Amino acid sequence: MRIKSLWMLLLISIVACQPTEQPATMDSIAEKYVKLMLDIGQYDSDFVDAYYGPEEWKPQNKRDTFPSADFLVRANELISQIQSVEGDKDRKLMLVKQLIAARTKVEIINGKVYSFDEEAKLLYDAEPPSYEESYFDNLLMDLENALPGEGSLADRYNEFVNQFIIPKDQLDTVFQTAITEARKRTMARYDLPENENFVLEYVIDKSWSGYNYYQGNSQSLIQINTDLPIKISRAIDLACHEGYPGHHVFNALLEQNLVNNKGWKEYSVYPLFSPQSLIAEGSANYGIDVAFPGDERIQYEKEILFPLAGLDASMADKYYEVQGLIGKLSYAGNEAARMYLNGEISREEAADWMVKYQLNEPERALQRTRFFDQYRSYVINYNLGKDLVANYVESQGGTADQPEKRWEVFKELLSNPNTASTIQ
């Protein structure tokens, strides 16, 4: 009996010495989420777009093979934990959506194939619309009327817009001027950290035209791809989209409001293939209209950017009339991506589609197929994202005739957890 009692005491002692797992909280879940995102990012260089959290959270070891099963288990466990703890409901919902996207991306890396629409829904929490070819044919008729003449419409269009290429020796001057103006307009309405800033670089051999690499502490690296000639309209577009009030401001506000003020560490990492990207890209595109509404943009370009680039400002109105018609064809790019990624057409056929329905030059169309290869259904975030953001802002009173309200609602959108399904 004495021996049995000693064994019981020893067993109790061993159990008592075992560390007890602390109950999950949103903050502990956030830490595990960040570490999971960083671990996945070791196996896909595009997966983590930005990280500015604790240095010690970065992974120290990388396995020889992609540990998809482990990542899926961890993602599922976190989803289950989130649903069982107390916390801000918007914070919880967004984190679940982000984890569903991460789980889906792990499956894709591991070889699972989703259709374009299934992938878009799981990664970006959005259902991309689909358009018949006749829809784009009708839009092309408007361009036929705007650009009469001999030859194909694509040739006439490219001959017209090639008059508006920024000379390479004026590229930096034009871009720096556009960014400065976009920043001035944004800072007049938003209180960003005093130290906020960016570095601008020109690069080549990329599948995209511009990129913002957010560095944390309100700092960004903005890169402009100069592989192909750059039209004058891209100066304001990229200044706003990559900078103010686009990606740079979006990330700075999330860092300021959610990471620093609320302590929500999950926002110290930005997984690119996630619902956060639809809001990021959609707001960056809509931000162009917020900063340069209506005729203000054309007037500014006539007075400042066209002369800086040595271009004929008297042609600005016609140029933007044509660009507005081209903008209506943006969903043709989504259809090309859908058919190409679903295996219905070849790369060359996808490029031909964009030559016909977006009037791309062949070289630019092929560059776009590289983007499809690298980022897949991510393409929906630019146009569908913009439409959803625009509808949300305007439904909250931020209409074109209420610019101050539009800036206010836009900032609220940028500063808080939002995803496609919560702004519809």
Side-chain angles (χ1 to χ4, degrees), residues 4-69:
K4 185 176 181 181
S5 298
L6 287 172
W7 272 110
M8 288 296 293
L9 288 171
L10 180 60
L11 181 60
I12 292 170
S13 175
I14 292 172
V15 171
C17 292
Q18 294 298 313
T20 57
E21 186 172 345
Q22 296 297 314
T25 65
M26 281 303 296
D27 288 344
S28 67
I29 292 170
E31 178 178 339
K32 291 178 181 178
Y33 163 82
V34 171
K35 291 177 178 178
L36 174 60
M37 298 303 104
L38 296 177
D39 283 347
I40 297 171
Q42 293 183 99
Y43 302 89
D44 183 335
S45 60
D46 291 322
F47 184 80
V48 174
D49 193 69
Y51 176 64
Y52 47 88
E55 189 69 22
E56 61 269 21
W57 287 5
K58 290 183 177 180
Q60 303 301 315
N61 299 300
K62 179 181 178 182
R63 301 186 197 179
D64 293 334
T65 57
F66 182 57
S68 58

Side-chain angles (χ1 to χ4, degrees), residues 107-291:
E107 291 174 333
I108 292 170
I109 294 172
N110 203 42
K112 186 167 183 176
V113 177
Y114 286 100
S115 72
F116 180 88
D117 289 347
E118 290 171 335
E119 181 184 305
K121 177 65 175 175
L122 289 166
L123 292 180
Y124 308 114
D125 190 34
E127 297 179 8
S130 181
Y131 295 91
E132 297 293 332
E133 193 168 354
S134 58
Y135 171 79
F136 303 114
D137 286 327
N138 290 332
L139 291 175
L140 288 181
M141 291 305 299
D142 294 331
L143 274 162
E144 288 279 5
N145 295 330
L147 294 169
E150 299 297 323
S152 71
L153 177 58
D155 287 344
R156 277 178 276 145
Y157 168 74
N158 285 302
E159 182 179 355
F160 174 74
V161 296
N162 283 342
Q163 301 175 73
F164 303 95
I165 292 172
I166 305 171
K168 280 201 170 183
D169 61 351
Q170 294 300 315
L171 200 59
D172 185 59
T173 299
V174 171
F175 268 101
Q176 294 282 4
T177 302
I179 293 175
T180 298
E181 181 65 19
R183 183 177 187 273
K184 183 178 78 173
R185 292 175 179 230
T186 302
M187 298 296 279
R189 278 124 178 135
Y190 296 168
D191 292 324
L192 296 178
E194 289 185 6
N195 68 309
E196 70 81 24
N197 207 348
F198 66 92
V199 172
L200 181 63
E201 292 182 350
Y202 300 95
V203 297
I204 59 172
D205 195 26
K206 304 294 181 182
S207 65
W208 37 257
S209 57
Y211 210 106
N212 178 300
Y213 293 96
Y214 191 67
Q215 312 289 297
N217 196 28
S218 300
Q219 307 294 307
S220 285
L221 169 63
I222 297 175
Q223 292 186 336
I224 306 298
N225 184 13
T226 60
D227 280 346
L228 300 172
I230 298 175
K231 314 293 193 303
I232 188 67
S233 58
R234 297 301 285 157
I236 291 294
D237 285 352
L238 291 171
C240 292
H241 184 101
E242 307 298 345
Y244 306 85
H247 292 323
H248 175 67
V249 173
F250 176 60
N251 285 301
L253 288 174
L254 287 181
E255 181 180 20
Q256 183 182 48
N257 189 47
L258 301 184
V259 179
N260 296 340
N261 294 345
K262 293 187 175 182
W264 294 3
K265 294 298 186 184
E266 65 266 32
Y267 286 92
S268 65
V269 66
Y270 172 15
L272 188 67
F273 304 100
S274 71
Q276 187 173 335
S277 282
L278 183 135
I279 302 298
E281 300 295 359
S283 64
N285 272 351
Y286 183 66
I288 301 166
D289 298 330
V290 175

Side-chain angles (χ1 to χ4, degrees), residues 78-107:
L78 289 176
I79 290 172
S80 178
Q81 289 175 9
I82 291 168
Q83 293 167 342
S84 66
V85 301
E86 296 294 323
D88 182 284
K89 64 180 180 61
D90 291 334
R91 180 188 186 187
K92 291 173 62 177
L93 175 62
M94 186 65 181
L95 198 47
V96 167
K97 297 282 189 181
Q98 294 285 99
L99 281 161
I100 290 171
R103 185 175 66 190
T104 303
K105 186 61 179 175
V106 167
E107 291 174 333

